[in-house]
Amino acid sequence: MTPLTPEAKKALSARVQFYRDLGIHSFYRRSEAPVAEAHTPEVESTMAKSSSAAKPAPVKVKSLPVLNDLSKTAALDAIRADIGDCTRCRLSKERNQIVFGTGNMDADIMFVGEGPGADEDEQGLPFVGRGGQLLNNMINAMGIKREDVYIANVVKCRPPGNRTPERDECDTCSPFLMQQIEVVKPKIIVALGAVAAKNLLGLNDSMANLRGQIYDFKNTNLAVTYHPAYLLRDPRQKAEAWKDLQMVMKHLGMKVPAGPKNG
Ligand code: URA
């Protein structure tokens, strides 16, 4: 293996910290793979760079001015058509179907998760498994329904074995998410978990630091809360997630209910 330069060591250490924040503590090094860079503050740069492919292919997406001339339905259809039967990254090899996103295209709130799991891959819809049931409960606790919000993911294909999507996979897929955001134009995006938060914001920080604030993000706002799958593993954090959702409700001028009646 080629020895790492000091810069590469620093970048690797930032990446290891990124995965530790996600609760991943075992790592392997692919032979002779280029070392990933740390996330940069520029969202555009996270979208443009790829970390592990030897020759990253530029992601081709239809330009938004064209989409802006269309109705929201037609624009979302055009994004979906642009994705097509996507083979832009390795996630296409094992997925059953692309999970584009669903919900109210005029929603004030857009939830963004990490990527489809087994249930989503089977049904073609985001957040329909156990985590999805908890997300529905979280949405209901806000006094609204799942049909009132828009839900999408950073990557649109299920990572094998539900592993965390890799940096280059996120970079390949996120231009489509950015377009979905630009079409839906939610008043606020709620990033569910560290993968969504870090990819959207382009910040490599801990969940503890990322939560608890409203960010300016691409002509809208963004808040970060825990991923439902994490809350299923550690239900004690539900109270913290509820604080995040209350912050979102206050931001939108919604009436803040006392609290979720059940998990
Ligand atoms: N986890 C996610 O991040 N997204 C889904 O759609 C389902 C589970």
Side-chain angles (χ1 to χ4, degrees):
M1 280 210 177
T2 320
L4 296 179
T5 62
E7 290 77 16
K9 271 190 191 154
K10 212 169 144 205
L12 182 60
S13 136
R15 187 157 178 83
V16 166
Q17 186 58 47
F18 172 78
Y19 283 112
R20 285 211 176 107
D21 290 344
L22 303 177
I24 297 165
H25 298 278
S26 329
F27 306 95
Y28 65 93
R29 186 176 170 200
R30 243 175 305 186
S31 55
E32 299 306 327
V35 177
E37 304 138 318
H39 274 197
T40 66
E42 293 299 318
V43 170
E44 282 76 11
S45 65
T46 66
M47 286 164 50
K49 291 177 191 165
S50 175
S51 63
S52 63
K55 255 197 192 170
V59 181
K60 289 189 187 127
V61 291
K62 290 225 158 54
S63 64
L64 265 173
V66 177
L67 295 176
N68 280 338
D69 294 340
L70 303 172
S71 70
K72 284 192 178 189
T73 315
L76 289 171
D77 286 350
I79 299 167
R80 179 65 190 87
D82 193 15
I83 295 173
D85 191 18
C86 187
T87 54
R88 291 170 180 86
C89 87
R90 69 187 86 81
L91 292 182
S92 61
K93 294 203 179 93
E94 293 187 45
R95 65 143 196 262
N96 275 314
Q97 51 186 318
I98 289 165
V99 179
F100 179 65
T102 188
N104 182 345
M105 63 189 89
D106 293 316
D108 285 349
I109 308 176
M110 177 163 174
F111 287 92
V112 175
E114 177 179 319
D119 294 306
E120 291 74 22
D121 180 57
E122 202 181 297
Q123 296 186 41
L125 292 167
F127 284 100
V128 288
R130 274 186 74 219
Q133 280 166 22
L134 178 54
L135 179 61
N136 292 347
N137 291 346
M138 290 160 72
I139 294 168
N140 294 340
M142 297 171 81
I144 53 176
K145 299 195 196 80
R146 181 178 165 109
E147 302 75 60
D148 297 325
V149 304
Y150 194 85
I151 307 174
N153 283 306
V154 174
V155 296
K156 311 234 177 294
C157 297
R158 181 193 181 201
N162 293 345
R163 67 162 168 75
T164 303
E166 290 185 16
R167 168 78 183 276
D168 62 312
E169 294 159 352
C170 293
D171 290 349
T172 301
C173 216
S174 56
F176 300 108
L177 173 63
M178 296 303 164
Q179 290 195 329
Q180 286 171 294
I181 291 169
E182 290 197 37
V183 171
V184 176
K185 296 193 190 348
K187 289 192 179 141
I188 192 160
I189 295 159
V190 179
L192 298 166
V195 170
K198 292 180 180 198
N199 274 282
L200 286 167
L201 291 169
L203 293 173
N204 190 11
D205 209 340
S206 66
M207 277 298 279
N209 287 339
L210 291 168
R211 290 177 51 241
Q213 50 188 307
I214 306 276
Y215 298 86
D216 284 331
F217 176 80
K218 301 230 161 208
N219 301 323
T220 179
N221 293 115
L222 187 148
V224 175
T225 193
Y226 291 118
H227 193 284
Y230 173 74
L231 296 175
L232 288 172
R233 289 196 300 276
D234 187 355
R236 289 167 307 174
Q237 301 302 329
K238 284 183 186 175
E240 290 300 305
W242 178 236
K243 282 186 202 159
D244 299 331
L245 298 181
Q246 285 178 310
M247 179 183 73
V248 168
M249 285 183 274
K250 278 187 199 137
H251 176 76
L252 292 176
M254 291 165 66
K255 190 164 170 274
V256 180
K261 289 192 185 61
N262 52 50

